Amino acid sequence: MSKTTLKKAIADFNAEQLKELLFDIYAKSKEAKEILDFFADPDISAKAEAYKKPLLKEINRYSRRAHRPRMPKIRALLKKFTILEPGDEAVAEMMVFVVTELCAVGAKEWFKDTTNDAINKFFVETLGFLKPRLLLDEYLPRITKAIREMEDFRYYQNPLKSKLSGSLYRFQLELE
């Protein structure tokens, strides 16, 4: 159903019928309940903390004797958070949180190449999100520090660090 069809369907509803419809949707849909609860009590910091727990769980996911974060799940959680419209600052904070936590895990563990590519893609998207909102000055030092603190492995250079450093370098060249 499109928005226009929905508008036509509820155009003849009075205030009482709209309230009843809203309460029915609230009772039947978990997603609608979360959105309406946030609308009624918009505590951004509490909601951000609630979303950080499943994000951390996914970032630190361990399967088959290795860390294997699933970037589609992480993206889905972030999208679910942005649906609440908490503001650009909160979304930026959450994205930078994900990048820095992935760097922390990547500093100690070896990710598969496909995971490194997905993390690098998300990193570039994060920088792209921060730039037009003029949030680079606030978050870039944190990101740079997280990348710098990643150590190379015993005999090999950390591939995630190499990818992120390269992307950051190209991004900084574009800024100049």
Side-chain angles (χ1 to χ4, degrees), residues 110-151:
W110 193 280
F111 290 131
K112 291 171 53 175
D113 287 339
T114 53
T115 306
N116 285 336
D117 292 340
I119 291 170
N120 187 47
K121 183 179 175 189
F122 179 77
F123 173 65
V124 171
E125 289 171 8
T126 301
L127 293 175
F129 181 85
L130 296 173
K131 183 180 176 185
R133 290 161 181 84
L134 305 175
L135 297 170
L136 282 174
D137 292 338
E138 184 177 344
Y139 292 108
L140 202 55
R142 229 169 91 189
I143 294 170
T144 307
K145 181 182 177 199
I147 294 171
R148 201 176 328 111
E149 289 177 351
M150 294 175 72
E151 296 178 13

Side-chain angles (χ1 to χ4, degrees), residues 45-107:
S45 60
K47 192 52 84 172
E49 287 302 315
Y51 272 87
K52 282 183 181 180
K53 287 180 185 177
L55 282 170
L56 274 174
K57 184 177 178 183
E58 192 57 44
I59 289 167
N60 291 303
R61 180 175 171 266
Y62 201 80
S63 174
R64 298 183 183 158
R65 294 178 271 153
H67 280 279
R68 299 193 195 288
R70 296 177 290 195
M71 291 308 292
K73 286 257 189 188
I74 292 171
R75 288 176 188 279
L77 283 165
L78 287 170
K79 183 174 183 187
K80 201 171 166 187
F81 181 71
T82 57
I83 286 173
L84 300 174
E85 296 180 3
D88 289 342
E89 284 276 335
V91 174
E93 175 65 36
M94 198 66 70
M95 292 176 86
V96 171
F97 169 78
V98 169
V99 168
T100 56
E101 289 299 317
L102 285 167
C103 286
V105 173

